[in-house]
Amino acid sequence: MSTLWVLGAGQLGAMLKQAGTPLGLDIRPVDIETDEVLPLAQDDIVTAEREEWPETAATKQLATHKNFVNLDTFPQLADRLTQKQWLDRLELATAPWFPVEEDTDADYAYQTLGERVLMKRRRGGYDGKGQYWLKQTENTAIPDDWKGLAIAEQAINFDEEVSLVGVRGKNGEKYFYPLTLNLHINGILYASISPLKRLDQYQSKAEAMLGKLMDALDYVGVMAMECFRVGDELLINELAPRVHNSGHWSQAGASICQFENHVRAVTNLPLAPVQVKNQSMMVNLIGVDVDYQWLNIKALELYWYKKEVRPGRKVGHLNFCSADISVLKQGLTELTLPAPYPEALEWLEKNL
Ligand code: ATP
Ligand code: MG
């Protein structure tokens, strides 16, 4: 059996390895800073846990391998400009936008997109980093170091944020998880819930959108689509050509988790429809230390990434899955976490 190399050795790489291990697969996440000469064999396969990477000795070795799945797709989706162009070309709804050029000024942004405009750096943004708000009422100008390096988006007054995780095989077959409801605080994902009956009505529309994109890119593996729900409309916020934080609940709540699905797809193993087990919810651990007493809480599963705890840093997550909603609600009351968690836990309780 060939080896599956993963570009990147963060938590997503670790969870891909964890999911592929029972299948007997040899999965090796690679720290992009390693100087090691990787023993890559001809028929090995390469995937990535991140959408872009600097050129290092390790990434050069991996990115020149002939079996790097979706290699051409990464740069197209990692750059918000080309990602938006893909969405427009495929006539998939997204927040109105334009590229911020060297000579773009804030007045143009306000005239075109309204009085609140969100600039996003074309590359490298995550967890709300790489964003800059322009507010007409405050006369915000565009800083020089954003010109030519960002897109500008209309502020969307969304009802809520949902995401769809799907998997596509080499032969084009596709399977999807149920839509997930997400809560972001300050641009960072705090909590997710799936499935939710009231989101069923948007499921087929969302699948058609993500499916169209995956087909157009001839994509293989798991892709995530983050959306704003505005009334009955879904606007695509952004796409991630990889396993995604909003799909972590599938580790507890689905017959096959997103990580195993990705591994199966890229190694050309059979895919299977997703059977959802019960009600799931996920809480990200952001800037808080692990507390092993959490393991006393019913229906809880802990994933601790063994990263140094820093403010705003994702260091783990908690999955909960139960057929009994009262068990989940009880679990929420037993979690004591600092601000802004009370808001996130209350949001979960309200949406369950
Ligand atoms: P990720 O960590 O998911 O990669 P990110 O930092 O790359 O996130 P986005 O997903 O584009 O960036 O934005 C983060 C959050 O900021 C969104 O989930 C949403 O809450 C808010 N946001 C983004 N774009 C808009 C918009 N056009 N209008 C209003 N809010 C927005
Ligand atoms: Mg996002």
Side-chain angles (χ1 to χ4, degrees), residues 51 80 95 116 118 120 125-129 131 133 153-158 161 184 186-189 226 228 237-238 242 244 314:
E51 49 265 63
R80 286 187 189 273
R116 284 173 63 241
L118 183 56
K120 297 181 178 178
Y126 68 98
D127 292 348
K129 296 180 177 72
Q131 294 191 353
W133 278 99
E153 257 181 42
Q154 186 169 81
I156 303 299
N157 224 339
F158 51 79
E161 294 189 78
H184 293 86
N186 300 326
I188 182 165
L189 181 69
E226 297 180 19
F228 302 128
N237 170 32
E238 62 166 351
R242 54 168 170 78
H244 192 257
K314 282 181 195 164

